[in-house]
């Protein structure tokens, strides 16, 4: 229903004033409003029918309408709210926020950037921020206000140098909420206690050797 008309404005239009440009646009709109499906004597005629008016979207058929919705409540938070990323100083050094917060940039771009308190950052981060440009941190999002472009987060721990196997692996497991802590004694009691443990000859005879 919306029609965009592109008009070229040159020096001639400036000489004749804005009235000339407006008259041209009005003529173009009238031409577009004529129905091209009905012709007579080589002149397009406006189709007179009782069809839906494009000015009122309520009169349009359902197939022309875009369904919209609004989130009213979060039933369950599926994401762990934990992300792996880097911390850096804010760009505006003269702002009050610069003296209180740092910026956390997650590796996963689907997760928003977050303000983290400088109290959670390393003690020498303000004086030597370049030392932490390649250090991975775990940050948990605690809040995200409607009127802010950035969330509010809390640094959990420092993982280590980016690009190394152990910090990267721990970061992925933490993001997805995988428990990788040590097994409790109750679970370890199910394992053989006499070490080194070997399969008995009778048990080995019943098994298929895939070594």
């Amino acid at each position: 229903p919306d029609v965009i008309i592109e008009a070229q404005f040159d020096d001639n239009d400036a000489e004749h004033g804005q009235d000339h440009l407006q008259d041209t646009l009005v003529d173009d709109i009238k031409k577009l409003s004529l129905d091209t499906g009905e012709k007579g004597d080589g002149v397009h005629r406006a189709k007179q029918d009782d069809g839906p008016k494009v000015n009122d979207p309520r009169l349009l058929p359902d197939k022309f309408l875009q369904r919209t919705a609004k989130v009213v409540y979060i039933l369950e938070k599926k994401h762990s709210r934990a992300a792996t990323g880097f911390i850096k100083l804010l760009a505006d050094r003269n702002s009050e926020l610069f003296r209180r917060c740092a910026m956390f940039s997650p590796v996963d771009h689907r997760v928003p950037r977050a303000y983290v308190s400088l109290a959670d950052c390393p003690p020498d981060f303000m004086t030597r921020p370049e030392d932490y440009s390649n250090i991975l941190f775990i940050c948990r999002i605690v809040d995200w206000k409607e009127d802010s472009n950035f969330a509010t987060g809390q640094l959990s721990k420092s993982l280590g140098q980016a690009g190394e196997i152990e910090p990267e692996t721990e970061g992925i497991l933490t993001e997805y909420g995988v428990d990788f802590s040590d097994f409790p004694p109750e679970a370890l009691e199910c394992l053989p206690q006499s070490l080194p443990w070997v399969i008995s000859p009778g048990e080995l005879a019943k098994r298929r050797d895939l070594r």
Side-chain angles (χ1 to χ4, degrees):
D2 297 333
V3 178
I4 299 176
I5 297 177
E6 182 176 335
Q8 185 176 358
F9 184 80
D10 53 20
D11 295 338
N12 294 329
D13 294 328
E15 295 177 358
H16 292 85
Q18 294 293 334
D19 295 338
H20 173 70
L21 179 60
Q22 293 178 358
D23 293 341
T24 303
L25 292 176
V26 171
D27 292 339
D28 291 339
I29 293 175
K30 289 181 178 180
K31 293 178 182 178
L32 289 174
S33 64
L34 298 178
D35 183 22
T36 58
E38 183 175 333
K39 299 181 179 180
D41 299 332
V43 179
H44 297 289
R45 297 179 180 176
K47 187 176 181 180
Q48 301 294 333
D49 58 7
D50 297 331
K53 298 179 180 179
V54 296
N55 295 337
D56 191 353
R58 294 174 298 178
L59 300 178
L60 290 173
D62 290 344
K63 65 179 181 179
F64 295 118
L65 299 180
Q66 174 65 49
R67 302 296 181 184
T68 59
K70 180 181 180 181
V71 177
V72 294
Y73 187 74
I74 299 176
L75 291 176
E76 182 181 359
K77 297 180 180 180
K78 301 294 290 185
H79 195 269
S80 63
R81 297 300 190 270
T84 306
F86 306 93
I87 57 174
K88 58 183 179 181
L89 295 176
L90 298 180
D92 189 3
R93 296 179 176 269
N94 297 324
S95 64
E96 178 66 24
L97 199 61
F98 178 85
R99 293 184 285 270
R100 296 186 294 106
C101 298
M103 177 63 68
F104 173 80
S105 297
V107 177
D108 188 352
H109 297 291
R110 296 173 298 178
V111 181
R113 289 181 292 175
Y115 291 126
V116 293
S117 175
L118 288 176
D120 297 337
C121 299
D124 58 343
F125 171 68
M126 285 291 291
T127 57
R128 305 183 62 179
E130 63 278 358
D131 292 349
Y132 300 93
S133 60
N134 203 34
I135 301 296
L136 284 175
F137 289 87
I138 288 290
C139 175
R140 294 191 179 274
I141 297 176
V142 295
D143 191 17
W144 193 359
K145 299 185 181 302
E146 296 181 358
D147 57 349
S148 176
N149 293 329
F150 306 104
T152 302
Q154 182 177 8
L155 289 183
S156 299
K157 62 181 298 187
S158 172
L159 297 178
Q161 196 76 12
E164 296 183 357
I165 296 295
E166 293 185 1
E168 297 281 357
T169 303
E170 183 177 351
I172 294 174
L173 295 176
T174 304
E175 287 181 6
Y176 286 92
V178 179
D179 183 8
F180 56 94
S181 59
D182 294 336
F183 287 102
E186 293 80 6
L188 297 177
E189 289 176 358
C190 301
L191 301 176
Q193 302 301 318
S194 58
L195 301 176
W197 177 76
V198 294
I199 302 177
S200 62
E203 182 67 26
L204 190 59
K206 299 185 295 183
R207 300 190 180 190
R208 181 181 179 185
D209 194 348
L210 298 177
R211 291 174 295 181

